[in-house]
Amino acid sequence: MHFALTAYDRPNALPLRLEVRPEHLDYLRAIAGSLVFAGPMLDAEGKPCGSIIVYDAEDRAAAEKLVNDDPYSKAGLFERVELKGFRVVVKDGVVNA
């Protein structure tokens, strides 16, 4: 099952994001088999201000663990997070209705 994370950074948290980013990327590499896609949201200036990650997890509890184990979460980067079930309909230009 897929779960979509939308995570919004705390105000003025870009320095923290940049500091923790190497650990976050290592974590993403370690859980790559559980990722459908991932990347930062960008503000009007093109700077990271949050994250969108779609996980492939057994259930919501497993998805929550993936979120909570992320170095960004552990560092307190996010002001607000939303985790919801997600169904991929279009991927890489292919529609799977």
Side-chain angles (χ1 to χ4, degrees), residues 20-43:
V20 179
R21 186 170 188 264
E23 293 172 59
H24 168 71
L25 292 176
D26 286 345
Y27 177 71
L28 294 182
R29 288 183 192 98
I31 65 163
S34 296
L35 298 175
V36 177
F37 64 83
M41 294 187 290
L42 305 176
D43 65 15

Side-chain angles (χ1 to χ4, degrees), residues 25-74:
L25 292 176
D26 286 345
Y27 177 71
L28 294 182
R29 288 183 192 98
I31 65 163
S34 296
L35 298 175
V36 177
F37 64 83
M41 294 187 290
L42 305 176
D43 65 15
E45 297 173 354
K47 295 179 183 173
C49 62
S51 298
I52 294 177
I53 302 175
V54 176
Y55 301 98
D56 184 6
E58 184 175 325
D59 54 28
R60 184 176 177 85
E64 288 174 350
K65 181 169 178 17
L66 290 167
V67 173
N68 293 333
D69 288 348
D70 190 312
Y72 278 168
S73 294
K74 289 181 176 183

Side-chain angles (χ1 to χ4, degrees), residues 59-91:
D59 54 28
R60 184 176 177 85
E64 288 174 350
K65 181 169 178 17
L66 290 167
V67 173
N68 293 333
D69 288 348
D70 190 312
Y72 278 168
S73 294
K74 289 181 176 183
L77 175 65
F78 303 128
E79 176 178 58
R80 181 170 55 101
V81 299
E82 298 172 358
L83 184 65
K84 298 183 179 187
F86 183 80
R87 183 170 56 93
V88 176
V89 174
V90 180
K91 183 175 179 184

